[in-house]
């Protein structure tokens, strides 16, 4: 996932924030997917208004105790997994 | 299906079973909702729109629409349009009798799933349950729907009559490009009165369990996990979702943990007077279902797979919650507790 990209939901996929993190619903199954991110990623991240790097900055600012490189790796891994499961896709903004 | 996060408590249901009316033009002898006539106090169009707004605000993903026959409501297509506008997926169960080419055209939407009910692969078996002529009309509906871009399945309740025709039902559904979905027969509504006549025998239930393993494309949707073999584990939920993932809204706006538990003692609240968010978060009834433990099942080798089975079947057969589902593989279907339903 490139930093200057936004992440959008694939057709038929919905997401909502839950206490444990994000709950995805894919109506083509229908099936559910649970992503335990607590409040690090909010459901509105997938409406395409914020880039991956915006999110990294936000998390790093909120958790100064965490090395930014680690946050970046973790986030990329989580987003790649969602993309691999067909839930989201990446769109470049530049 | 990961249960750990569900056990933590979701902030809203994933899907809500919404029975939109008690009115029905058929009089099926197994009808779980004892449907026929519209009842006084059914939600008005305005109130239904409010329900949709509420569910949409809470980000409920899906409505499972039932009744009665949903198409008996004149405003039904408008209610579905409004749900789709709000992004809610609708899975509509119908007897098919009121679906013609025009209705099918109106329904076509990417967020719609249709389930046409057929309780046998022949007019003889189906109409013995659903009434004369209902087989032909359901097939007409399947024909109209299959010509549109609508996902369709055939829903069959497992009974003594449908059991011998399962293979034929798979083929019949496939001939309309549909999949077969099988529901578990519940001893409530008119189903209670006709339970002993219609419910499958112990041997049939065991043989059905094997049949399911050989037919991975057949879906069960609900609560057959107590009789499903391990190989179907990946296909769906292996725990009761009542009050955790789902709940039910009756035609009168009453909120229950599940469509099969619409008893006074399980009434959690009423819409639109009460707040649905409040009911979901704080109803003592819902909490009791979230905390429900089937203690006597915990030492069973299959516990992780079925968690004690369907509380609704256990309740209707034994009039108490917290007891094991009497139709389970480990118990090889206890004949005694099933016979106890009487009726
Ligand atoms: C109550 S009906 C309402 C919708 C519509 N009138 C229909 O028949 O599809 C919903 C589904 O429940 C099934 N059903 C009826 N009685 C049942 C029972 N006692 N146990 C389980 N399912 C039942 C029906 O066959 C149908 O597929
Ligand atoms: S099962 Fe459906 S079609 Fe049959 S009586 Fe009940 S509501 Fe009507
Ligand atoms: S009570 Fe039975 S039918 Fe209802 S959600 Fe639980 S397992 Fe499913």
């Amino acid at each position: 996932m490139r930093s200057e990209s936004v992440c959008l939901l694939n057709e038929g996929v919905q997401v909502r924030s839950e206490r444990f993190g994000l709950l995805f619903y894919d109506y083509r199954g229908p099936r559910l997917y649970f992503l335990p991110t607590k409040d690090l990623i909010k459901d509105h991240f997938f409406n395409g208004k914020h880039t991956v790097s915006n999110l990294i900055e936000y998390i790093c600012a909120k958790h100064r105790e965490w090395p930014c490189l680690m946050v970046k790796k973790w986030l990329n891994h989580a987003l790649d997994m969602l993309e691999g499961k067909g839930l989201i896709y990446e769109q470049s903004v530049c | 299906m990961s249960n750990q996060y569900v056990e933590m408590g979701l902030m809203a249901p994933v899907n809500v079973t919404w029975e939109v009316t008690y009115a029905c033009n058929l009089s099926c002898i197994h009808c779980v909702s004892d449907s026929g006539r519209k009842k006084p106090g059914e939600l008005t169009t305005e109130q239904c729109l409010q329900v949709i707004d509420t569910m949409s605000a809470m980000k409920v993903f899906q409505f499972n629409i039932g009744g009665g026959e949903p198409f008996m409501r004149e405003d039904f297509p408008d209610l579905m349009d409004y749900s789709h506008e709000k992004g809610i997926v609708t899975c509509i169960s119908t007897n098919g009798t009121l679906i013609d080419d025009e209705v099918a055209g109106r329904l076509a939407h990417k967020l719609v799933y249709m389930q046409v009910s057929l309780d046998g692969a022949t007019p003889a078996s189906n109409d013995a349950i659903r009434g004369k002529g209902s087989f032909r009309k359901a097939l007409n509906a399947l024909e109209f729907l299959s010509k549109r871009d609508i996902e369709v399945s055939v829903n069959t309740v497992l009974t003594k009559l449908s059991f011998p025709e399962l293979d034929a039902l798979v083929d019949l559904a496939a001939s309309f490009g549909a999949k077969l979905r099988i529901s578990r027969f519940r001893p409530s509504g008119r189903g209670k009165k006709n339970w002993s006549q219609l419910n499958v025998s112990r041997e049939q239930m065991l043989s059905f369990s094997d049949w399911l393993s050989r037919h991975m494309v057949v879906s069960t949707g609900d609560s057959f996990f107590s009789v499903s073999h391990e190989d179907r584990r990946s296909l769906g939920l292996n725990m009761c979702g009542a009050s955790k993932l789902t709940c039910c809204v009756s035609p009168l706006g009453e909120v229950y943990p599940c469509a099969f538990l619409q008893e006074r003692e399980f009434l959690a609240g009423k819409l639109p007077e009460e707040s649905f968010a409040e009911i979901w978060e704080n109803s003592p009834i819902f909490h009791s279902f979230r905390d429900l433990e089937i203690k006597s099942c915990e030492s069973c080798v299959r516990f992780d797979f079925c968690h004690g089975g369907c509380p609704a079947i256990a309740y209707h057969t034994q009039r108490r919650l917290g007891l094991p589902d009497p139709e389970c593989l480990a118990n090889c279907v206890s004949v005694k507790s099933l016979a106890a339903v009487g009726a």
Side-chain angles (χ1 to χ4, degrees), chain B residues 10 13 17 24 32 36 42 54 56 70 128 136 146-147 159 168 172 198 212 215-216 229 234-235 254 284 305 331:
Chain B
L10 298 184
T17 298
C24 189
V32 67
E42 291 192 7
T54 302
S56 156
R136 177 62 15 228
S146 67
K147 288 191 187 133
T159 62
L172 182 62
L198 291 176
L212 266 186
H215 295 81
M216 302 296 259
H229 285 297
S234 62
L235 293 184
E254 299 153 329
F305 190 50
N331 288 331

Side-chain angles (χ1 to χ4, degrees), chain A residues 11-12 14-20 23-30 32 34-36 38 43-44, chain B residues 1-2 5-6 8-14 58-62 87-89 110-111 113 245 281:
Chain A
E11 159 109 4
Q14 298 180 48
V15 64
R16 76 176 187 223
S17 297
E18 284 285 348
R19 283 178 269 264
F20 63 82
L23 176 61
F24 289 85
Y25 164 92
D26 183 348
Y27 90 129
R28 293 163 298 184
L32 294 174
F34 302 81
L35 191 67
K38 295 274 182 173
D43 52 8
H44 54 73
Chain B
M1 159 73 62
S2 164
Y5 305 115
V6 177
M8 281 168 72
L10 298 184
M11 285 154 72
V14 165
M58 286 181 71
K59 293 207 166 193
V60 168
F61 298 128
Q62 182 178 326
I88 301 177
V89 171
K110 61 182 193 305
L111 296 181
Y113 283 95
L245 289 160
E281 266 311 308

